């Protein structure tokens, strides 16, 4: 606060003295009463800090005991009174309640943490006034009111001839991500070839926490690691010519990284085997399998799609001396709900549900754990270009909200489908086949990084495209 040049009247004692302005209330005080005024403000700040602490405690208490028990009981009663096929809907409804509650508290905590950072900065720098305090107080009132209205989830009933189906309705709508439509080429872009700055028909991709891109470089018979913002990649598996010797690969279709031991697991399609590379030592995990897609769940189980047997098998990590367990398909080629037709890419969610890109059936199937048949969650309306159709679906991934993203190969686009909806929406591409930044030519593998940016293996353009998320 700057010193005044002339004596003026103190706002507190009304005496003519050398006074100092308070920027918050726009009044002037003598030195004694300015100190008192600052102490009053400091006391108010301490009260506000205490209110913030109490609010944080309320968040923690309600997170431990969310007020949705009655909803779960209604769902349980509905499940008991319904036939077996409806039990699956009950479980999905529980998951939605939990996700909506989690989304609500995550949003509240984010707002609270942002305000906490502001209050800590003000307190640390000792630069605050009535304006700051009023702003912080109003922000606390707003999020307190939002927390008080936390019981914003209800059940909407849909009358049908045989049951009253239920769904979860939340006033806290999830935010659907969007991406810039012009991509950034983050790997290759230098044309088809076998140099370290080139790719030849990239299939599956995997993005790690450092945003390193691992690429199944199909026609080059190698796995390439492309570091963040690098101009070229480096060979981390294969690259010794096409062959079936240890140290060689033959048309690899997919690659994943085991986060536990940082080993590289590869679908060595041409050699009909799944191999693991760890510190340049190779091990065959599964053989005599027409492997295409790979996935690993949170418990370390490995999933492999068999393109010709029309099935997906699961192995427990470290126990590869058996044939594994069939978790999807396995009933011959066909288009029934217990069958697959040329399954390719796969994804496994937190509940160990398996999503399968059922290529020649033009659909994506979801197989819940331990079920005998799958459910169509995307496509399934024949080959086509409409929003309810797919044309040779390839890569498939699922986000935290359960939304399904599909590389719609011959439609040159990436689609998003919400489970239960009749049609999807185009998120990127869909502008015809081409090599412009808003075009794709045979999209294959899909992946997200930790920030939500979308990566696409652009097969016939021999490049990896990054679509940046719009925040």
């Amino acid at each position: 606060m700057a010193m005044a040049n002339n004596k003026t009247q103190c706002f507190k004692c009304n005496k003519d003295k050398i006074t100092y302005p308070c920027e918050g209330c726009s009044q002037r005080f003598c030195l004694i009463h300015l100190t008192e005024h600052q102490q009053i403000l400091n006391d108010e700040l301490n009260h506000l800090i205490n209110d913030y602490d109490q609010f944080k405690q309320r968040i923690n208490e309600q997170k431990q005991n969310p007020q949705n028990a009655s909803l779960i009981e209604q769902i349980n009663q509905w499940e008991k009174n319904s036939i077996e096929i409806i039990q699956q809907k009950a479980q999905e409804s529980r998951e939605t309640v939990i996700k909506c509650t989690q989304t609500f508290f995550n949003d509240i905590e984010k707002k609270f943490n942002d305000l906490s950072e502001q209050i800590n900065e003000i307190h640390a720098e000792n630069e605050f006034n009535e304006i700051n305090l009023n702003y912080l107080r109003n922000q606390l009132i707003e999020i307190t009111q939002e927390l008080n209205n936390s019981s914003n989830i209800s059940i909407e009933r849909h009358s049908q001839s045989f049951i009253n189906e239920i769904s979860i309705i939340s006033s806290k709508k999830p935010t659907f991500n969007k991406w810039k439509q012009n991509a950034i080429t983050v790997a290759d872009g230098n044309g088809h070839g076998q140099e370290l700055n080139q790719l030849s028909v990239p299939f599956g991709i995997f993005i790690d926490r450092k945003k390193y891109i691992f690429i199944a470089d199909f026609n080059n018979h190698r796995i390439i690691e492309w570091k963040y913002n690098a101009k070229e990649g480096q060979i981390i598996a294969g690259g010794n010519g096409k062959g079936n010797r240890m140290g060689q690969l033959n048309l690899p279709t997919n690659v994943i990284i085991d986060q536990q031991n940082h080993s590289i697991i590869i679908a060595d399609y041409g050699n009909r085997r799944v191999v693991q590379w760890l510190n340049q030592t190779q091990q065959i995990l599964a053989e005599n399998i027409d492997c295409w897609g790979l996935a690993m769940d949170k418990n370390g189980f490995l999933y492999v799609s068999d393109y010709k047997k029309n099935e997906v098998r699961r192995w427990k990590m470290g126990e590869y001396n058996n044939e594994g367990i069939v978790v999807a398909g396995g009933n011959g080629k066909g288009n029934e709900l217990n069958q697959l037709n040329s399954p390719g890419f796969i994804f496994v969610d937190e509940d160990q549900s398996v999503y399968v890109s059922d290529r020649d059936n033009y659909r994506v199937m979801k197989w819940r754990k331990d079920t005998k048949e799958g459910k169509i969650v995307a496509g399934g309306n024949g080959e086509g270009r409409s929003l309810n159709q797919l044309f040779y679906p390839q890569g498939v991934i699922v986000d935290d909200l359960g939304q399904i993203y599909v590389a719609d190969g011959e439609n040159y686009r990436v689609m998003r489908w919400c489970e239960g909806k009749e049609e999807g929406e185009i998120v990127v591409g869909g502008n015809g086949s081409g090599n412009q930044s808003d075009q794709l030519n045979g999209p294959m593998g899909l992946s997200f990084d930790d920030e939500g940016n979308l990566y696409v293996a652009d097969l016939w353009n021999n490049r990896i495209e990054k679509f940046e998320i719009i925040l």
Side-chain angles (χ1 to χ4, degrees):
M1 297 183 181
M3 180 182 293
N5 294 324
N6 301 313
K7 290 185 178 182
T8 55
Q9 191 177 71
C10 171
F11 178 76
K12 183 70 175 179
C13 65
N14 296 323
K15 295 180 180 180
D16 290 335
K17 294 183 177 181
I18 295 175
T19 57
Y20 306 85
C22 172
E23 294 180 2
C25 64
S26 301
Q27 301 296 337
R28 301 184 71 86
F29 298 87
C30 65
L31 184 59
I32 294 174
H33 292 112
L34 178 64
T35 303
E36 290 181 359
H37 185 63
Q38 289 177 325
Q39 182 60 45
I40 292 171
L41 296 179
N42 191 67
D43 291 342
E44 291 185 21
L45 177 61
N46 288 331
H47 285 307
L48 197 55
I49 292 173
N50 184 60
D51 291 342
Y52 270 69
D53 291 340
Q54 292 180 8
F55 184 80
K56 177 62 175 178
Q57 183 177 353
R58 288 187 61 193
I59 291 177
N60 292 333
E61 289 174 355
Q62 291 198 24
K63 282 183 67 178
Q64 295 298 322
N65 300 291
Q67 298 175 354
N68 57 22
S70 63
L71 298 177
I72 299 297
E73 289 177 5
Q74 292 179 56
I75 294 169
N76 288 340
Q77 187 62 44
W78 173 85
E79 179 183 12
K80 292 177 182 178
N81 296 334
S82 301
I83 60 177
E84 182 179 357
I85 192 171
I86 304 304
Q87 291 179 344
Q88 179 176 337
K89 181 66 178 180
Q91 178 62 22
E92 293 170 352
S93 298
R94 293 189 196 96
E95 293 169 358
T96 307
V97 169
I98 293 169
K99 286 180 180 178
C100 289
T101 304
Q102 183 178 5
T103 300
F104 173 80
F105 283 115
N106 286 345
D107 185 59
I108 289 288
E109 280 195 305
K110 184 179 184 302
K111 293 179 181 178
F112 174 78
N113 290 334
D114 290 343
L115 289 174
S116 294
E117 289 182 9
Q118 295 180 47
I119 200 169
N120 288 336
E121 290 177 3
I122 290 174
H123 195 231
E125 296 174 2
N126 200 26
E127 293 183 0
F128 54 90
N129 51 51
E130 284 88 350
I131 296 174
N132 303 132
L133 296 178
N134 287 335
Y135 168 76
L136 294 172
R137 188 179 293 108
N138 290 334
Q139 291 299 305
L140 180 59
I141 290 172
E142 286 184 15
I143 60 176
T144 299
Q145 291 174 345
E146 191 171 354
L147 183 65
N148 290 338
N149 295 325
S150 60
S151 57
N152 55 3
I153 305 174
S154 60
I155 293 177
E156 183 179 66
R157 300 183 183 275
H158 306 278
S159 296
Q160 297 182 5
S161 59
F162 61 100
I163 58 156
N164 288 325
E165 186 178 349
I166 64 172
S167 60
I168 302 303
I169 306 299
S170 173
S171 62
K172 194 70 178 179
K173 298 294 184 182
T175 301
F176 292 163
N177 291 333
K178 294 184 178 180
W179 292 266
K180 295 179 181 179
Q181 294 303 296
N182 291 294
I184 300 170
T185 299
V186 290
D188 196 348
N190 299 296
H192 172 276
Q194 58 184 3
E195 301 298 325
L196 291 179
N197 67 344
Q198 294 179 308
L199 299 171
S200 180
V201 192
F203 269 53
I205 55 175
F206 182 93
I207 315 295
D208 72 3
R209 298 185 183 96
K210 297 179 182 178
K211 296 186 178 63
Y212 290 3
I213 310 169
F214 297 83
I215 309 165
D217 195 8
F218 186 77
N219 273 354
N220 282 327
H221 316 292
R222 65 189 184 184
I223 304 298
I224 291 286
E225 178 190 56
W226 210 289
K227 294 184 177 179
Y228 184 64
N229 283 339
K231 299 299 182 184
E232 63 180 30
Q234 62 181 24
I235 301 170
I236 58 171
N240 300 307
K242 176 180 178 180
N244 60 8
R245 300 192 310 272
M246 298 305 289
Q248 289 184 306
L249 297 172
N250 183 0
L251 304 175
T253 55
N254 216 327
V255 56
I256 59 175
I257 306 300
D258 181 356
Q259 304 286 359
Q260 299 297 321
N261 60 14
H262 305 290
S263 65
I264 307 159
I265 301 176
I266 305 162
D268 191 9
Y269 175 73
N271 284 323
R272 303 185 67 243
R273 65 189 183 188
V274 177
V275 294
Q276 180 185 52
W277 287 54
L278 178 60
N279 298 325
Q280 295 303 312
T281 300
Q282 297 87 45
Q283 176 187 0
I284 297 176
L285 303 183
E287 51 189 340
N288 298 320
I289 179 172
D290 293 290
C291 51
W292 188 280
L294 298 175
M296 184 172 288
D297 67 21
K298 62 182 180 181
N299 298 317
F301 286 88
L302 177 66
Y303 299 72
V304 184
S305 64
D306 190 314
Y307 186 73
K308 293 185 179 179
K309 287 186 179 178
N310 298 293
E311 64 185 20
V312 179
R313 288 182 178 267
R314 181 184 70 201
W315 282 266
K316 185 175 182 180
M317 185 59 71
E319 297 182 4
Y320 298 107
N321 55 351
N322 54 57
E323 295 182 351
I325 299 172
V326 175
V327 294
N331 296 297
K333 178 190 294 188
N335 60 7
E336 300 297 325
L337 293 180
N338 67 344
Q339 294 179 306
L340 298 169
N341 188 355
S342 302
F345 291 89
I346 55 178
F347 181 90
V348 182
D349 68 13
E350 290 290 309
D351 300 320
Q352 294 181 300
S353 294
V354 181
Y355 296 78
V356 187
S357 187
D358 192 10
R359 200 196 74 167
D360 288 355
N361 280 327
Y362 311 108
R363 66 189 186 184
V364 175
M365 300 290 289
K366 176 182 179 181
W367 293 65
R368 298 182 65 84
K369 185 180 179 182
D370 299 328
T371 54
K372 299 300 182 183
E373 63 180 32
K375 174 183 179 182
I376 300 172
V377 292
N381 297 297
E383 167 196 332
R385 302 187 183 281
S386 299
L387 293 180
N388 69 341
Q389 294 178 304
L390 298 170
F391 191 0
Y392 289 139
Q394 301 290 353
V396 57
I397 51 177
V398 182
D399 68 14
D400 293 338
L401 296 175
Q403 298 172 109
I404 303 128
Y405 297 79
V406 188
D408 192 7
E410 292 302 309
N411 282 327
Y412 317 112
R413 64 192 184 186
V414 177
M415 300 283 289
R416 172 168 56 199
W417 292 67
C418 296
E419 187 173 337
K421 298 295 183 181
E422 294 297 325
E423 61 181 33
E425 61 177 322
I426 301 170
V427 291
V428 296
N431 300 305
S433 172
N435 60 6
Q436 300 302 308
S437 62
D438 66 343
Q439 292 181 306
L440 299 167
N441 189 0
M444 293 292 284
L446 299 179
S447 188
F448 289 121
D449 65 20
D450 289 343
E451 296 177 356
N453 300 307
L454 176 62
Y455 296 74
V456 183
D458 195 9
L459 187 76
W460 302 118
N461 283 326
N462 300 292
R463 65 188 184 184
I464 310 299
E465 297 288 83
K466 174 184 175 181
F467 293 89
E468 294 183 319
I469 191 169
I470 300 174
L471 299 176

